[in-house]
């Protein structure tokens, strides 16, 4: 399941460099997680790094993008193939 940044985001920019998949960018009003690149950090870390570093706890699971761990790993493999 990809994660989703909610409207409490204070645009602090801490999460963007912490993401191993370059899944976070600055949006028009708040930061955005791109679901096609977010693997919940599966394959990289035990915990979602954006959630770990966010000072205001404004990152939730995105119910619109439910995925199993296997699907997340497949997404990671696809991302790695794209960047190879
Ligand atoms: Fe990036 Fe991990 Fe956060 Fe997804 S959970 S946006 S992969 S840091
Ligand atoms: Fe927004 Fe949290 Fe990312 Fe800071 S770390 S930009 S508050 S989502």
């Amino acid at each position: 399941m990809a994660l989703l940044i909610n409207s409490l985001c204070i645009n602090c920019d801490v999460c963007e460099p912490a993401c191993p998949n370059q899944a976070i960018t600055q949006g028009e009003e708040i930061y955005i997680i791109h679901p096609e690149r977010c693997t919940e950090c599966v394959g990289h870390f035990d915990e979602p790094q954006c959630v770990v570093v966010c000072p205001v706890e404004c990152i939730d699971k995105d119910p619109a993008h439910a995925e199993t761990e296997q699907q997340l790993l497949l997404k990671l493999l696809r991302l790695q193939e794209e960047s190879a």
Side-chain angles (χ1 to χ4, degrees):
M1 191 178 292
L3 301 191
L4 181 69
I5 296 173
N6 69 41
S7 61
L8 296 176
C9 172
I10 56 170
N11 292 309
C12 72
D13 190 39
V14 169
C15 57
E16 183 182 347
C19 177
N21 294 333
Q22 290 82 48
I24 304 175
T25 57
Q26 189 170 17
E28 277 188 28
E29 293 184 3
I30 57 173
Y31 275 69
I32 296 169
I33 293 175
H34 299 275
E36 73 279 6
R37 298 193 68 88
C38 175
T39 63
E40 283 190 56
C41 287
V42 164
H44 289 287
F45 300 100
D46 291 339
E47 292 180 86
Q49 294 302 288
C50 54
V51 174
V52 169
V53 300
C54 179
V56 294
E57 299 182 7
C58 68
I59 306 176
D60 309 311
K61 298 234 179 194
D62 183 353
H65 291 97
E67 293 158 297
T68 64
E69 180 142 346
Q70 186 164 12
Q71 286 174 314
L72 292 170
L73 274 171
L74 285 173
K75 192 193 294 188
L76 177 64
L77 284 175
R78 178 178 54 75
L79 290 173
Q80 289 173 335
E81 281 170 10
E82 282 173 7
S83 64

